[in-house]
Amino acid sequence: MPGLLLGDVIPDFEAASTHGKIKLHQFLGNSWGILFSHPRDYTPVCTTELGRAVRLCADFRRRGVKMVALSIDTLEDHRGWSKDILAYNNEESASGLLPFPIIADSKRELAVALGMLDPDEKDKDGMPLTARCVFVIGPDKRLKLSLLYPASTGRNFDELLRVLDSLQLTAERRVATPADWKVGNTSERVAVSHPSGRLHWYRLISVSPAWRLRDGSSRHV
Ligand code: BEZ
């Protein structure tokens, strides 16, 4: 069955992109990665999403995360659309390209292989469009998180940064983050369950690359 499950190694595909040919594993190196798909070029919701992604580029970079977008149109379309995205979002780039690559999957081969299609959204020929898929890939090239939104619902990029913080913290420390946890606000507690049946709370006192936790309260659950 197509699609990826948590813990699967992301296929090491080769694809044409606005930044040249990409071999995914080589492109990612030892970094975290985020691969996000878009239904179609020159569509309004996708244009707002990619504009937001451009604005948040430094935030992803600070977390050591390489970004890659994918859409089922041609490189030529991607190049033209990139200019529109930058103009619409009041961003500039000398090359007219976004600071991260957009993969051209015009034959939908990757979209099918990675389970990214949305059966409810079709193009004028009745072919399914790509859903708004998010794969977060760890430095070990394994899938750490997968989100799948229908084409009709734009993503929340603040949430992507939030889950990255949790994924990176919990990859380094044996803790779990509670509901709505976010670095830098009052609910910055992280929890760990002890085999004894105690729920032990820690407070986060400094963030990546050297996460530090302060011991907090402990209670039975
Ligand atoms: C959009 O990005 O605006 C969009 C694309 C496909 C279906 C619905 C909306």
Side-chain angles (χ1 to χ4, degrees):
M1 189 169 133
L4 283 179
L5 299 175
L6 292 187
D8 285 353
V9 172
I10 186 112
D12 187 17
F13 59 76
E14 195 169 299
S17 88
T18 49
H19 288 202
K21 192 186 282 180
I22 282 190
K23 287 189 73 172
L24 188 69
H25 285 201
Q26 190 182 63
F27 172 80
L28 293 173
N30 295 322
S31 300
W32 286 74
I34 184 162
L35 171 64
F36 45 102
S37 63
H38 294 274
R40 199 95 239 203
D41 289 13
Y42 295 107
T43 49
V45 176
C46 296
T47 300
T48 61
E49 285 192 318
L50 280 169
R52 183 89 175 111
V54 170
R55 281 199 299 279
L56 291 176
C57 229
D59 297 273
F60 284 96
R61 200 174 298 127
R62 197 162 42 247
R63 289 163 172 83
V65 180
K66 291 194 174 168
M67 306 163 81
V68 193
L70 177 152
S71 182
I72 51 173
D73 288 287
T74 62
L75 267 186
E76 198 186 339
D77 283 332
H78 286 359
R79 290 191 188 110
W81 185 35
S82 296
K83 291 195 180 74
D84 274 15
I85 293 165
L86 293 168
Y88 178 79
N89 293 284
N90 296 317
E91 296 284 339
E92 283 180 2
S93 107
S95 62
L97 297 175
L98 307 191
F100 49 84
I102 311 178
I103 289 173
D105 186 31
S106 52
K107 293 192 183 140
R108 292 172 167 76
E109 285 166 351
L110 285 172
V112 170
L114 299 174
M116 290 173 158
L117 291 180
D118 181 344
D120 285 340
E121 295 286 349
K122 307 240 168 64
D123 67 11
K124 61 180 176 12
D125 302 316
M127 295 291 286
L129 300 181
T130 342
R132 300 183 193 281
C133 183
V134 180
F135 289 146
V136 176
I137 305 154
D140 58 359
K141 313 289 182 299
R142 291 185 185 276
L143 185 68
K144 303 299 180 190
L145 174 125
S146 148
L147 291 167
L148 192 55
Y149 290 59
S152 49
T153 302
R155 285 159 285 203
N156 182 330
F157 279 73
D158 292 327
E159 170 64 2
L160 300 187
L161 292 174
R162 191 195 74 86
V163 293
L164 273 162
D165 285 337
S166 173
L167 290 169
Q168 293 187 334
L169 168 64
T170 57
E172 215 175 276
R173 312 294 292 258
R174 286 200 62 78
V175 294
T177 59
D180 303 329
W181 174 86
K182 202 171 170 207
V183 173
N185 73 6
T186 50
S187 60
E188 63 186 25
R189 291 191 307 176
V190 288
V192 59
S193 303
H194 280 262
S196 63
R198 276 180 179 276
L199 187 68
H200 196 88
W201 290 100
Y202 291 88
R203 188 165 289 278
L204 188 61
I205 51 174
S206 87
V207 298
S208 177
W211 297 100
R212 282 206 305 129
L213 306 175
R214 178 180 298 141
D215 223 351
S217 61
S218 176
R219 66 182 168 81
H220 279 291
V221 287

